Amino acid sequence: MKKLSFTFLALLFSSFVIGQASGNINYQNQQHYPNQTINIDFPQNTDIVVSVKGLANVKADAYTAIFSTTQTGKTTKEVNELIDQRIMQSLNEIKLKKGVETFVDMISFVPVYEYETEKKVFNRKTYNEVPAGFEVKKNIHIKYSDPSQLNEFISILSNNEIYDLVLVDYFSNTLETVKKEMANKAKLMVQEKIKNYQELLGETFANAEKRIADGYMVNVPVEMHKSYEAYNSSSLNLKRAANINQVNKSVTLYYQPVLNKEFDFVINPAVLEPVIQIQYEIKIVINKEKKQVKTDKELILVTPNGDLKTLNMNTSRQNY
């Protein structure tokens, strides 16, 4: 009876037990990363598939940061003068930096409204929407080559109440050169793999039917950031129902590049800063079935008039 009572109490109190919750990436034991590697599919009725995957980490040589700014005002003249003043004061200082280019992009210019209360005797309050002014949004594009300059831009813009860093794009002038290097490296590895298969099987694929496919994938840092909540909460063993007030947790972003564990070769494997990643894959399918070869046969046709005509018919036979 005591054992049954203990079991009942354990089940009763279990509904008031809150397990330990952890949002920090180091505490998330079941962290899963999506498959972000390139994969070229072939039909299923293949015989031998030779595949090579390569990854290259390319450091950017140019960047473009985009900052968003918003201004409201009572009149169109006021709102335009205010936003232009904030932007021009910032750009005049930013343009003094070496190797910097700027561009201002108009995003929107719309009227804004507010509610005006209309109170009538013996009636409920009525809220009428009335014009309150105008709102303009503009984006500031800043192109630069030294990544350390971004902190300087943020400091300058924040002095003029511009705080919203939308994104940073990464660019490189060496992408095509790196792609050619990857293709050449993969070509040598494919040839080596085919040679190994021939030695293992004791045969040659010289006369076998072959098909080939290849492709590239480019990943930039702006699409390779993950997020997690940085906190670690303690567990509570409550004996009775209670109200629990939890605070909002800080959401942290971190750069997570494509992992190099599934590639045959990696160019510049060590990653210190966010980089542009190029993936390359080449696949060759070797069909070991006997190749069909075409031969020419001559057929002689007898016309109703008794004339003889020679016809060339292309037929196929198996080459044993």
Side-chain angles (χ1 to χ4, degrees):
M1 184 64 182
K2 291 182 178 180
K3 183 176 181 181
L4 292 176
S5 299
F6 176 78
T7 304
F8 173 75
L9 291 174
L11 292 174
L12 178 63
F13 291 147
S14 63
S15 60
F16 303 115
V17 176
I18 300 178
Q20 182 176 359
S22 176
N24 193 287
I25 189 66
N26 293 325
Y27 291 94
Q28 293 179 0
N29 295 326
Q30 296 183 356
Q31 178 75 12
H32 297 287
Y33 298 103
N35 182 15
Q36 296 171 315
T37 57
I38 188 172
N39 187 24
I40 302 174
D41 292 328
F42 266 102
Q44 298 299 319
N45 57 346
T46 58
D47 201 349
I48 296 178
V49 178
V50 181
S51 174
V52 170
K53 287 185 178 182
L55 174 68
N57 297 315
V58 183
K59 184 178 179 180
D61 49 40
Y63 310 84
T64 297
I66 300 177
F67 292 84
S68 177
T69 180
T70 304
Q71 180 66 56
T72 58
K74 291 294 184 181
T75 64
T76 58
K77 181 180 179 181
E78 178 187 14
V79 74
N80 279 295
E81 288 180 350
L82 289 174
I83 196 170
D84 287 343
Q85 181 181 2
R86 292 164 59 198
I87 292 176
M88 292 310 299
Q89 287 179 351
S90 301
L91 295 186
N92 288 338
E93 189 173 350
I94 290 175
K95 289 179 180 179
L96 298 177
K97 306 295 181 182
K98 184 178 180 181
V100 173
E101 299 178 23
T102 62
F103 175 78
V104 178
D105 185 18
M106 169 65 78
I107 301 301
S108 65
F109 188 24
V110 295
V112 294
Y113 297 86
E114 62 184 9
Y115 288 99
E116 187 179 74
T117 305
E118 181 181 355
K119 187 176 182 181
K120 297 182 179 179
V121 181
F122 306 115
N123 287 330
R124 295 181 177 180
K125 288 184 178 180
T126 302
Y127 296 91
N128 298 319
E129 209 172 32
V130 295
F134 298 88
E135 178 189 80
V136 61
K137 292 180 180 289
K138 292 185 179 182
N139 285 350
I140 303 172
H141 298 235
I142 306 174
K143 181 182 177 182
Y144 56 100
S145 57
D146 184 0
S148 64
Q149 290 180 316
L150 182 59
N151 289 330
E152 300 175 9
F153 303 150
I154 292 175
S155 177
I156 294 171
L157 291 167
S158 62
N159 291 334
N160 292 283
E161 299 181 352
I162 300 174
Y163 312 106
D164 187 5
L165 174 59
V166 180
L167 61 87
V168 178
D169 282 329
Y170 289 63
F171 304 94
S172 173
N173 294 320
T174 64
L175 294 185
E176 293 303 320
T177 302
V178 175
K179 285 182 177 180
K180 291 180 181 178
E181 180 183 354
M182 296 177 72
N184 292 332
K185 194 173 184 66
K187 174 184 175 182
L188 297 176
M189 296 188 71
V190 166
Q191 292 174 345
E192 184 66 24
K193 282 190 175 184
I194 293 177
K195 181 180 178 181
N196 291 337
Y197 288 155
Q198 290 181 137
E199 292 178 354
L200 289 172
L201 297 174
E203 58 182 278
T204 179
F205 303 147
N207 296 323
E209 181 184 359
K210 304 178 186 68
R211 288 174 294 152
I212 186 172
D214 69 341
Y216 293 93
M217 177 184 290
V218 179
N219 300 108
V220 293
V222 69
E223 59 188 2
M224 303 303 293
H225 280 79
K226 310 297 181 183
S227 65
Y228 70 95
E229 293 183 350
Y231 74 96
N232 182 27
S233 295
S234 301
S235 61
L236 295 176
N237 295 319
L238 304 177
K239 296 182 179 180
R240 64 178 69 180
N243 294 325
I244 301 174
N245 298 320
Q246 294 182 329
V247 300
N248 292 330
K249 309 302 189 301
S250 174
V251 177
T252 302
L253 291 175
Y254 66 98
Y255 173 63
Q256 177 60 66
V258 176
L259 303 179
N260 59 13
K261 61 182 180 179
E262 297 183 1
F263 295 91
D264 297 282
F265 67 90
V266 180
I267 299 175
N268 300 328
V271 176
L272 175 62
E273 61 185 271
V275 294
I276 302 172
Q277 292 187 296
I278 306 175
Q279 300 177 55
Y280 177 71
E281 181 178 7
I282 182 172
K283 279 185 178 179
I284 295 180
V285 175
I286 302 173
N287 191 342
K288 293 175 59 180
E289 294 182 357
K290 299 174 179 62
K291 189 176 180 180
Q292 298 288 328
V293 295
K294 292 184 178 181
T295 59
D296 294 334
K297 286 187 176 181
E298 291 185 352
L299 297 180
I300 298 177
L301 177 66
V302 180
T303 66
N305 298 328
D307 298 329
L308 300 179
K309 290 186 175 181
T310 302
L311 300 177
N312 289 326
M313 301 293 294
N314 289 330
T315 61
S316 62
R317 64 179 178 83
Q318 287 190 335
N319 183 20
Y320 291 96

